[in-house]
Structure formats: C-alpha cells, structure tokens
Amino acid sequence: MRRKIIAGNWKMNLTLQEAESLADALIKDDFTGNGTEMIVAPPYIYLQWLASKRKTLPNLQVAAQNCSEHNAGAYTGEVSAVMLASLGVNYCITGHSERRSIFGETGTMLAAKVNRLLENKLGPIFCCGETLPQRESKRHKETVKDQLQDGLFHLDALSLEKCILAYEPVWAIGTGVTASPQQAQEMHEFIRSVLSEKYTKEVAGRIPILYGGSVTASNAADLFSCPDVDGALVGGASLKADEFKKILQAMNSKNHA
Ligand code: PGA
C-alpha cells in the first residue's frame, strides 16, 4: 500500500505569532489518522521551533522549503542539508516551480540538492510540472519527463524510494485554477510509467506522487479519488487550519491502493 501524504507549504508567509496560532490549531486535535501523514514546511527560521512541536504531535513531520547544494562553506545566506538534519527536519521540498523560475534553479543544481539531502538522511519532496505554454503546445509530458531525468534519474532505486514526488502544474499554483481530476490522473499515471520504465513497475508503484496547485477543501476529495494521486502539496490552503484539516480528512477517507 502506498503512503498517503498531505504536505503544507507555508512559503514566505506568517509572522512567528501567526505561525504559533496556526501550529496550535493544527496540534489541538490530531487529525491525521487512517494512515495519512502530515508534513508542514515553514520558512527556515521556524523549523527548529516547529520540529519541537512533535513532542505533542508525533505524526507531524517537518520539511524545509529549500536547501543548498553544498554541505558547508562560504555561501552567505544559504542553509545546508547538514544543518537541517541537525534540527531533526525530515524532508525538504526540491525543485518547486518558484525556485526554478524566480531563483533560476536548474536540473543540475536540483540533482546536487537531492544528493545532499539523501546523504544527510532527509527525504526530498521533488516537484515537477509544466507551464501553461508548455501544456498548450502539448509539451507537458516531455517537460515533466525531462525534469525527472535531470533531477532524479541519477539515483539508484533504493535512493529513489526515499523521495516523494509532487506534480505541480505551474498554471495551477496560486492561481485558483486546479487541474481537473482527469488531467491530474493522466499526469500521475504518466509519471509512474516513466518511473516504471527507468526503474521497475514495483518501484514505481511504491513512490508517493502528490498533486499540487490550488488544492482546497472543496476540490480535494475529487482529486484524491484518482488512483495515482497519493496526497497533496498544499500552498495557500495550508495557512488556514480548518481548510488544511478538511484536506487531511479527505485523504483519510481514501481507501488507498
Ligand atoms: P497553492 O500552492 O496550493 O497555493 O496553489 C501549491 C504549491 O506551490 O505547492
């Protein structure tokens, strides 16, 4: 049975006080259950504090939103996987489209980040997804395949299985436009077939693939009804405890393959 995962990406939002009330609301009732894992990715400076909350909510896992491709050295402003591991962080989002487009992260850089994370026993949450022009020119599958190839396919099967994948069409991120369940299923199935070709059907069948892009409490259940959608990477809606909780509950209701 594949893991079911709901991950919240707070991006560059919330003051410490706001983060505290959101975390308190998340911790108040443990609404993970039926096997759904909850991952929260706050800004770097809240990571240690959020990781300490696991004493009250052991089901909470903590992710960074980025890391350096280097382990240490003269890289002002950067944070390494070694540092994240020393705080007890479990995962790190890698290759988010905002990092790719705003900060110019390339496939080569992402492959190095994935390596640093795995060396330090952190799980990469590796994002891929096409822009609107790429979809409109029917290059969405090719784009996603290239992203997987460049960032992940240097890994052996054992290392790949430590990763979580997230399909996030760029045109759906923060726009309020969600991929239809059919579009999401088509791409998740495609990603699994690409993994299957490169590794094996069994390996591909074990990798969780999350959907990301304007997931809300009202569209979550439809998206989660797709057989190859194993959860969500949630941006905006993860900033509201009630909304995030409903998304987790929608995943809980899924009887997974
Ligand atoms: P969104 O962001 O849910 O606000 O669209 C998703 C993401 O960027 O991971």
Side-chain angles (χ1 to χ4, degrees):
M1 195 165 92
R2 269 197 303 278
R3 294 160 63 198
K4 303 194 285 188
I5 300 165
I6 300 296
N9 175 7
W10 291 359
K11 307 194 180 182
M12 197 179 73
N13 291 300
L14 308 175
T15 62
L16 178 59
Q17 293 68 30
E18 289 163 343
E20 271 168 350
S21 32
L22 176 55
D24 285 347
L26 293 181
I27 282 158
K28 196 156 52 95
D29 28 31
D30 182 354
F31 44 80
T32 56
N34 199 14
T36 303
E37 297 169 43
M38 170 166 76
I39 304 178
V40 175
Y44 282 138
I45 50 168
Y46 306 147
L47 278 170
Q48 186 172 16
W49 156 79
L50 193 68
S52 73
K53 298 279 182 191
R54 276 189 308 224
K55 288 186 201 101
T56 5
L57 186 56
N59 282 343
L60 169 69
Q61 309 215 59
V62 178
Q65 297 174 14
N66 179 36
C67 75
S68 167
E69 61 201 277
H70 306 284
N71 269 336
Y75 301 103
T76 302
E78 290 288 275
V79 171
S80 71
V82 177
M83 295 170 186
L84 297 175
S86 74
L87 298 185
V89 170
N90 314 94
Y91 295 99
C92 180
I93 299 173
T94 319
H96 190 281
S97 71
E98 287 149 18
R99 300 289 326 166
R100 290 177 190 266
S101 66
I102 307 171
F103 301 99
E105 293 191 359
T106 62
T108 315
M109 288 162 79
L110 295 174
K113 289 181 189 222
V114 164
N115 290 345
R116 296 299 85 73
L117 289 168
L118 292 170
E119 283 159 17
N120 288 286
K121 312 221 170 334
L122 277 110
I125 303 175
F126 187 88
C127 305
C128 56
E130 80 286 356
T131 61
L132 192 58
Q134 285 164 336
R135 175 163 281 266
E136 284 173 346
S137 58
K138 306 221 179 317
R139 284 181 294 126
H140 46 298
K141 290 188 175 167
E142 170 195 327
T143 303
V144 165
K145 190 173 180 177
D146 286 349
Q147 290 169 340
L148 297 174
Q149 175 92 46
D150 295 349
L152 284 184
F153 282 3
H154 60 289
L155 298 177
D156 60 20
L158 215 60
S159 302
L160 184 85
E161 289 201 42
K162 303 207 165 68
C163 300
I164 297 170
L165 262 57
Y167 168 61
E168 298 206 302
V170 181
W171 47 270
I173 296 179
T175 57
V177 180
T178 318
S180 66
Q182 292 72 21
Q183 286 171 320
Q185 173 56 27
E186 186 196 22
M187 288 307 285
H188 283 230
E189 202 179 327
F190 171 72
I191 291 169
R192 222 178 283 290
S193 75
V194 172
L195 295 176
S196 177
E197 239 170 65
K198 167 74 187 170
Y199 298 90
T200 62
K201 192 163 181 285
E202 288 68 33
V203 169
R206 286 194 291 266
I207 310 279
I209 309 177
L210 315 184
Y211 168 80
S214 299
V215 175
T216 62
S218 41
N219 59 31
D222 281 349
L223 288 160
F224 300 161
S225 68
C226 303
D228 284 291
V229 174
D230 306 314
L233 180 52
V234 186
S238 72
L239 299 172
K240 297 176 215 132
D242 279 355
E243 188 85 3
F244 194 54
K245 176 177 172 168
K246 286 186 189 140
I247 296 171
L248 269 144
Q249 282 164 341
M251 195 66 212
N252 273 339
S253 320
K254 175 167 178 162
N255 284 322
H256 209 30

